[in-house]
Amino acid sequence: MAVTEVDPSKDEREVGKPMPSHIENAAYTPNMELIEGAVANNDQEATLPKKELFKMYGPATIYSMLLSLALVMEGMDVGLINNFFVHPAYLRKFGWPDKKGKLHISTAWQGGIGAGNNCGSIIGLLINGYLQSRFGSRKVYMGAMVGMACTIFVLFFAQNIEMLLVGNILCGIPWGIFQTLTTAYAAEICPPAMRGYLTAWVSMCWGAGSFLATGVLRGSLAIDPQKDAGWRIPYGVQWAWIPPLFLVGYFAPESPWYLIRIGRQADAEKSLRRLARKDHYTERSMAETLALMNHTNEMEKIEAANASYKECFTGTNRRRTFIVCMAWTIQIFNGQSITSYAAIMLRSVGMSATNAFNYNMGIQSVNIVATAIAIVLMGRIGRRTFYLFGSSSIGACMLAIGIAGFVASGKEATAYVVAVFLILVQCAFKVSLGPTTYVIVGEMSSSRVRAQTIVLGRAVYVCFQIVVQQINPRMLNSSSDAWNLGAKTGMVYFVLCFVWVIWIFFFLPETKNRSFADIDYLFQKKVNARKFTTTPVDLFEFTNAPQEKILDDDEPLGTTNTTDKNVSEIQHQR
């Protein structure tokens, strides 16, 4: 009977151990049958009608959607900051006369307040990268809610512009936590076929917050501008969200991926059962799901054993981190950001304050409808297609806005032309780049360093947002200390969109309907971004799959001897 020849130079412990092509994975032996069963289940779920799929994972859908409502507060905050500067009651309290005797808040202070909020967000982001990997999503979420309730007091009772700056820095910390925690949680609690829908919902919540901000600001115009209630009510509305969302965090199950990473297998199983309907998992299907999750975790230990920020920049994680950072960069630097300054921009080109806020409501009102369309299409259209469409269509609108700034004969004509194209920009953004960014960053990052990767990408976004908040007011405002480009600003963003289209085509991979294990494999193989959809996947190539059978002359056929030790055991032996 044939036997495997033994190299006498090898250590006795290595005899009979299957030798994979990548030696760094030579310790882990997966259960191929269970893992292949889980992969088959994922493929089958991708073909199910969406109604049946959401019914199957109803609890996961509800918990993810409710926890993501925290982004409503962040979206509302951005809307308030950017449009408060032309609010009559706000200007009366915190503004001062310019050279022409008109109440204003200087562009330097406008940029400073926005930058202060973003500096706080960066602190929150970096803190969350550590806290979420250490304590899980639930505890961090509830703690951030308590912090949010406290920091709003500073804004609500602000007496001068310096207090506003401090309040925005403090509020930015919990907002930074919510920005990435909700995305990571949504990506981890649902199967691949639902991931796009639930992560895109995060964007809808952000857009709903922007719309709510414009509605509250528009309603507050009816309040006597001599009273502080006109600017305090918009801040105070945010308190209403905190008690119910805290309770949602308390009752929500922990991310099963987090529990797998810290070795709590039994708790991971309980969490998975809570995230699906009662009769969904059988003992066999649960074993398959856990086997695939553990297999994915072991694959990712290759380059992220310690799950630290440093490992986001090693091996294939470097490429994944760069893609996540670029996705966030494209989202902030495409021109859509000027819609947050719509009231300022429209006022600068001749529109009245009331009409400017009315049009701003119209611009922001498309958020919910357009994002809903994107969510419906998310299961049918790839991530690359969404990003290419978004960047190219927004670029075309930016070109039209820029041209209008040069050729329009009158200010009033410019205002209405710009208003129409800003609505189109908002539609294109919310159908594409807005929601798809959350999907991409949730899927592209490695599971073991997902929180850290999303944090780094979002930190890049916030840093660029600081830049945007410095240059947009200067480009759009018509005050004496501004650049007064107005609608010509569109030409600047048109050039950037052109660059983004080229990058997306060559470097953004397609991850639609791919499991986390599939994505890990494709990055390990360094597959070209344009070939992610067509490249076949072998989940056992990089792990110690028992492909070589070692037979003993005294054992019957079909009996094999293979090493069945996990990574930690082998590392301990070494």
Side-chain angles (χ1 to χ4, degrees), residues 453-468:
T453 305
I454 296 176
V455 161
L456 289 171
R458 187 68 181 186
V460 169
Y461 171 93
V462 173
C463 289
F464 282 132
Q465 190 174 45
I466 293 174
V467 175
V468 165

Side-chain angles (χ1 to χ4, degrees), residues 449-563:
V449 289
R450 178 167 294 116
Q452 291 88 340
T453 305
I454 296 176
V455 161
L456 289 171
R458 187 68 181 186
V460 169
Y461 171 93
V462 173
C463 289
F464 282 132
Q465 190 174 45
I466 293 174
V467 175
V468 165
Q469 288 177 331
Q470 296 299 315
I471 64 174
N472 274 355
R474 288 170 169 80
M475 290 192 292
L476 299 174
N477 267 300
S478 58
S479 59
S480 57
D481 61 344
W483 301 341
N484 197 22
L485 290 179
K488 299 174 186 177
T489 303
M491 300 302 293
V492 176
Y493 287 111
F494 165 70
V495 174
L496 288 173
C497 285
F498 181 76
V499 174
W500 303 149
V501 168
I502 295 174
W503 183 87
I504 293 166
F505 181 79
F506 286 104
F507 298 107
L508 181 64
E510 179 57 70
T511 53
K512 176 174 171 284
N513 287 337
R514 289 288 196 182
S515 69
F516 288 138
D518 290 344
I519 296 170
D520 289 341
Y521 173 84
L522 293 169
F523 275 110
Q524 288 276 1
K525 292 289 287 183
K526 300 181 180 179
V527 174
N528 185 289
R530 287 171 290 164
K531 297 180 180 180
F532 260 53
T533 55
T534 57
T535 301
V537 172
D538 178 6
L539 294 182
F540 307 105
E541 178 177 342
F542 296 125
T543 53
N544 195 22
Q547 297 172 345
E548 183 179 344
K549 296 182 178 181
I550 313 301
L551 300 181
D552 190 296
D553 288 334
D554 296 329
E555 291 178 340
L557 289 173
T559 303
T560 62
N561 293 326
T562 59
T563 299

